[in-house]
Amino acid sequence: MAQALILDSEALNALAWASHRSVLAERARAILTVAYEERALVRVPAPVLAEVCRGRPEDAAIERVLNGKGIGVIELTEAMARRAGALLERAGLGSAQAVDAFVVATAMAFASAVIATHDPEDLARLASGARQIRVFPI
């Protein structure tokens, strides 16, 4: 297992819409640069796409990020879905935070992972106890 940078929906949106989210985009680009320098894998859990893609022409900005930066999309598996459900239960959170739980479940598949997010509280709560995961606020 390799080191990974996991992008949540806010991090992905910040990269896609940099002109509208300049401060977030700057932070997201900085952590992305570090990930590339350290040869970390950069991944987006597939459920994140449900939060950022709407089947409209504006989705092209997300596609440019995914296609132009070496960022891979991680498919949701049954094991990850079950892990995400267990994380929600342990954290006392409901299905409104399901995508956040999928992000953490994805990060848990790596020996070492950093989650880039604009929602560090919920993600840190879900990742508590997972020593290999660091939550990095953008």
Side-chain angles (χ1 to χ4, degrees):
M1 288 194 280
Q3 180 177 355
L5 170 63
I6 310 299
L7 303 176
D8 79 348
S9 60
E10 283 298 325
L12 184 56
N13 266 332
L15 293 167
W17 302 100
S19 62
H20 301 350
R21 298 167 178 241
S22 59
V23 173
L24 292 179
E26 186 177 317
R27 292 177 185 164
R29 280 193 301 263
I31 193 169
L32 193 60
T33 298
V34 171
Y36 289 145
E37 287 171 356
E38 293 184 5
R39 300 192 193 296
L41 300 172
V42 181
R43 299 293 182 254
V44 174
V48 165
L49 299 180
E51 287 189 324
V52 299
C53 294
R54 293 292 184 259
R56 295 183 292 208
E58 293 85 2
D59 292 350
I62 298 294
E63 294 305 319
R64 277 192 298 277
V65 172
L66 294 176
N67 293 328
K69 306 267 188 209
I71 299 171
V73 175
I74 299 285
E75 297 297 325
L76 178 62
T77 65
E78 179 180 347
M80 278 189 214
R82 290 179 183 274
R83 182 179 297 143
L87 290 169
L88 289 168
E89 176 67 23
R90 191 187 80 225
L93 297 171
S95 59
Q97 285 81 28
V99 174
D100 288 344
F102 293 134
V103 169
V104 174
T106 299
M108 292 175 81
F110 295 93
S112 175
V114 173
I115 298 171
T117 182
H118 191 58
D119 181 22
E121 293 81 20
D122 283 345
L123 287 159
R125 188 171 170 186
L126 287 161
S128 70
R131 295 176 221 234
Q132 80 273 25
I133 297 174
R134 288 180 295 141
V135 176
F136 185 84
I138 59 166

